[in-house]
Amino acid sequence: METASATPMPRAELLNVADTVAREKGIEREEVLEAMEQAIQKAGRSKYGQENDIRAEIDRKSGEIRLARYMEVAEEIENESTQLTLAEAQRRQSDLKLGDFLIDPLPPIDFGRIAAQTAKQVIVQRVREAEREQQFEEYKNRVEEIVNGLVKREDFGNVTVDLGRGEAVIRREELLPREKYRRGDRVRGYIYDVRREQRGPQIFMSRTHPQFMAKLFSQEVPEIYDGIIEIRSVARDPGSRAKIAVISHDSSIDPVGACVGMRGSRVQAVVAELQGEKIDIIPWSQDPATFVVNALAPAEVAKVVLDEDAQKIEVVVPDEQLSLAIGRRGQNVRLASSLTGWEIDILTEEAESERRQAEVQQRSQTFIDALDVDDVIAQFLVSEGFTSVEEVAYVPEEELTSIEGFDAEVAEELRLRARNYLTQETERLETRVSELVIAENLKTLEGLTLEMVVTLGEAKIKTLEDFADLASDELIGVDDGILREYGVEPTAANELILRARVAAGWISQEDMASALAPEANEDDGVRLDSASESQLPVEASQKQSDT
């Protein structure tokens, strides 16, 4: 490559070439000159020996090329080609000391055809690397932005997009269903990741990402761009339907109306970009019950029951609203759950009534058997909200005497019978634990009740190691989970198993904390719905305590 030669090219022209390459490739002039120096060094080693430390330097002002051999002054010689002793170095240059370099200038070299080709490859490679690095630095700061580009090619469903200063990839799963692109088509997408890979920086775009829709609304709705309206959450079933929750920080501006626009112009622009994806715009509410009801629109909700500990919400709908609330293939309830972050169970009013009757009957029977009372007293206790024998045993006496027809004597008698029952039940369970020969460290594992321990023992789980070896499905699986009848939540089941593994010495507390850490987490037309908090009956669910 003639441009890297010291002899045929005038020195000033060498700098001109560097300026031209830097300008054309959009990279720094210094990087081009460093690439040229590396090319000259490579050619120098080819001429004077690869084992030598040959270095080249181009004067940044004059363009003069200086070639030299460097030898390090070392106490012990490991490589005679690149090192020499202090005594030998000082014979040639008296002021040298250990760690310094003896520099022998070399005459300029004339590049032959092979050397020129090698030098050219080095420069091209370095320039390409510099381009890639600049591309990475530019686009890593554009993650979470929407960009436009032209389709360059399509390989097995993956689309390569020319962004002008770089190339991006839209994987097949990041394209909307039935979406096809040809070379030269214009495409818009959301940059969700930019990372270095062996073949260079890779820019990943998506058209299915929830934030793609959020950013489209930000472009179409000035109030969102200005921060007056905030998008709190987005849930998408790409190409089919989506829900977006919005809130206004200005009480005079309706967030839903602003997102819809005059005659639906704003939302329709987003719908058109998303190939007709239907969008429900939901007013966000701080009250989880109201938010879930809004998210289930267009279905009407009669009642909700919250379980904040389990992050679950039970929704009761009129019988004729069930299919609408669930949606086609469960789409509506799935999107509502994703939007709100709550697990949603939907029941009809009839099913909920039947279940409540069954629960009342079961609790009544529990009190009849445990307290030796008649059906009337048992139903009184259930109707007052008592769910377990423990509550009767340890509730303050005034709570029992406040029940119509219960005086102090009746209340005390009920408390006494409840405590006697619990004592007898504990003794029975402890006897059963002894009969099953259950290990002490399993019996005392935090989170397990005596009833659970007996159930485990009867299922041949008798040691801490047996328990630690279980999977959560084996513990609480719907059909055959050992502890399924105790209503243990999946998170609690995982924590129990991990706690057992820590106690057994299989993992550390740090491993457990890491495993439990949160994960670094889907009809037609545009629907506008809201629900009044005052019209919404909400009941706080009460968990049944383990006996």
Side-chain angles (χ1 to χ4, degrees):
M1 177 177 168
E2 293 300 318
T3 59
S5 170
T7 303
M9 177 176 287
R11 294 169 181 173
E13 189 174 337
L14 188 69
L15 297 179
N16 291 337
V17 168
D19 291 336
T20 302
V21 172
R23 189 166 53 252
E24 289 178 354
K25 299 295 184 181
I27 60 178
E28 294 294 325
R29 174 178 183 262
E30 182 63 25
E31 294 188 59
V32 179
L33 288 170
E34 287 177 2
M36 288 180 169
E37 288 173 343
Q38 283 198 357
I40 297 168
Q41 284 173 193
K42 191 163 187 176
R45 285 173 184 164
S46 297
K47 179 174 181 179
Y48 295 109
Q50 295 291 346
E51 71 280 3
N52 294 309
D53 183 5
I54 307 295
R55 304 185 191 181
E57 182 183 353
I58 299 174
D59 189 288
R60 300 306 192 252
K61 292 183 179 179
S62 67
E64 179 186 357
I65 300 174
R66 291 185 286 272
L67 199 64
R69 177 188 180 189
Y70 280 63
M71 295 191 74
E72 183 185 8
V73 181
E75 192 170 352
E76 293 184 10
I77 305 301
E78 297 178 2
N79 186 337
E80 293 184 354
S81 299
T82 59
Q83 294 176 318
L84 76 168
T85 63
L86 179 60
E88 186 180 351
Q90 288 182 341
R91 279 198 300 271
R92 299 171 63 180
Q93 189 174 329
S94 59
D95 60 345
L96 290 176
K97 55 184 182 297
L98 288 174
D100 288 347
F101 285 90
L102 177 66
I103 302 173
D104 289 331
L106 297 173
I109 58 174
D110 257 337
F111 287 142
R113 184 175 60 83
I114 295 176
Q117 188 65 27
T118 302
K120 178 181 179 182
Q121 289 174 355
V122 172
I123 292 175
V124 169
Q125 179 64 24
R126 278 298 304 276
V127 169
R128 186 177 293 122
E129 288 174 1
E131 284 184 290
R132 287 174 174 173
E133 184 61 26
Q134 187 181 46
Q135 178 181 319
F136 175 78
E137 290 298 324
E138 177 180 348
Y139 282 97
K140 77 173 183 180
N141 297 321
R142 299 186 66 182
V143 174
E144 300 183 357
E145 283 187 17
I146 287 181
V147 293
N148 295 295
L150 295 175
V151 174
K152 198 170 183 180
R153 61 182 177 275
E154 190 261 353
D155 300 310
F156 304 105
N158 300 323
V159 176
T160 302
V161 181
D162 184 358
L163 300 179
R165 300 272 299 185
E167 284 186 359
V169 174
I170 307 179
R171 292 170 173 164
R172 186 187 316 175
E173 62 269 21
E174 299 295 338
L175 289 168
L176 298 174
R178 300 176 298 280
E179 199 168 41
K180 295 289 183 183
Y181 287 100
R182 286 191 285 236
R183 180 185 175 90
D185 287 350
R186 183 165 292 280
V187 62
R188 187 191 294 187
Y190 173 80
I191 297 178
Y192 67 91
D193 192 17
V194 177
R195 60 176 180 260
R196 287 189 176 93
E197 292 191 355
Q198 196 166 5
R199 54 184 175 173
Q202 295 295 301
I203 303 167
F204 295 97
M205 286 172 59
S206 173
R207 288 177 55 78
T208 62
H209 198 287
Q211 286 303 309
F212 179 48
M213 190 175 76
K215 292 291 182 181
L216 288 174
F217 268 105
S218 182
Q219 290 182 351
E220 296 295 334
V221 183
E223 291 88 345
I224 295 177
Y225 183 83
D226 294 337
I228 300 171
I229 293 174
E230 180 185 351
I231 297 175
R232 281 298 180 92
S233 59
V234 180
R236 291 183 66 190
D237 195 348
S240 176
R241 189 167 183 171
K243 291 179 183 285
I244 180 170
V246 293
I247 184 174
S248 174
H249 297 299
D250 185 337
S251 58
S252 65
I253 296 178
D254 171 27
V256 175
C259 292
V260 173
M262 187 70 69
R263 297 180 181 176
S265 58
R266 292 174 175 177
V267 73
Q268 287 302 332
V270 177
V271 169
E273 177 63 41
L274 299 178
Q275 305 294 322
E277 189 171 313
K278 306 298 186 284
I279 302 172
D280 294 346
I281 304 174
I282 307 296
W284 184 86
S285 173
Q286 189 172 7
D287 175 57
T290 302
F291 186 26
V292 168
V293 171
N294 290 347
L296 283 171
E300 297 176 6
V301 175
K303 182 171 61 177
V304 299
V305 180
L306 297 174
D307 184 347
E308 294 188 0
D309 292 338
Q311 201 72 2
K312 289 178 73 171
I313 188 164
E314 189 178 276
V315 178
V316 180
V317 299
D319 294 9
E320 68 276 7
Q321 292 283 314
L322 180 63
S323 60
L324 192 60
I326 294 174
R328 186 176 55 191
R329 297 179 183 174
Q331 185 185 61
N332 193 54
V333 69
R334 187 175 66 252
L335 288 174
S337 181
S338 176
L339 187 76
T340 61
W342 285 74
E343 184 181 339
I344 302 174
D345 290 334
I346 296 183
L347 296 173
T348 62
E349 290 178 324
E350 181 181 353
E352 195 254 352
S353 175
E354 290 175 356
R355 196 191 68 178
R356 279 194 173 276
Q357 288 176 8
E359 285 179 357
V360 167
Q361 187 173 356
Q362 181 185 0
R363 289 175 184 172
S364 295
Q365 193 60 47
T366 298
F367 291 137
I368 291 171
D369 295 340
L371 305 179
D372 191 22
V373 295
D374 60 24
D375 186 58
V376 174
I377 292 179
Q379 288 192 12
F380 267 129
L381 290 170
V382 173
S383 64
E384 289 296 324
F386 288 90
T387 60
S388 67
V389 178
E390 285 93 336
E391 291 180 5
V392 178
Y394 299 111
V395 75
E397 185 177 323
E398 53 268 24
E399 289 196 27
L400 284 171
T401 55
S402 65
I403 301 174
E404 185 178 354
F406 283 25
D407 56 21
E409 186 178 347
V410 171
E412 185 56 36
E413 180 64 23
L414 286 175
R415 279 154 50 94
L416 182 61
R417 291 186 185 186
R419 290 174 184 174
N420 288 337
Y421 170 80
L422 292 175
T423 300
Q424 293 168 9
E425 186 67 9
T426 301
E427 289 173 354
R428 183 188 70 81
L429 291 171
E430 286 178 344
T431 300
R432 185 61 180 144
V433 167
S434 299
E435 291 171 352
L436 291 168
V437 194
I438 296 173
E440 187 67 23
N441 53 7
L442 176 59
K443 190 168 65 173
T444 57
L445 181 66
E446 183 185 349
L448 291 180
T449 66
L450 269 177
E451 276 186 307
M452 292 179 181
V453 171
V454 169
T455 304
L456 288 167
E458 290 172 345
K460 308 301 183 188
I461 307 298
K462 299 185 178 183
T463 68
L464 188 69
E465 289 72 17
D466 291 340
F467 187 83
D469 199 37
L470 292 174
S472 58
D473 285 347
E474 294 175 285
L475 198 62
I476 59 168
V478 175
D479 296 325
D480 55 0
I482 300 169
L483 300 182
R484 63 188 182 280
E485 63 186 282
Y486 296 100
V488 180
E489 296 294 333
T491 303
N494 288 332
E495 188 171 346
L496 272 172
I497 294 170
L498 288 170
R499 195 178 292 135
R501 291 175 182 176
V502 171
W506 295 3
I507 62 173
S508 67
Q509 284 283 1
E510 290 73 18
D511 294 331
M512 176 177 171
S514 177
L516 292 174
E519 297 292 328
N521 267 180
E522 270 189 338
D523 310 10
D524 306 326
V526 178
R527 302 195 180 275
L528 314 175
D529 299 277
S530 63
S532 168
E533 295 186 24
S534 60
Q535 297 173 345
L536 185 65
V538 181
E539 296 182 5
S541 69
Q542 297 179 345
K543 287 189 169 181
Q544 182 169 358
S545 303
D546 296 316
T547 58

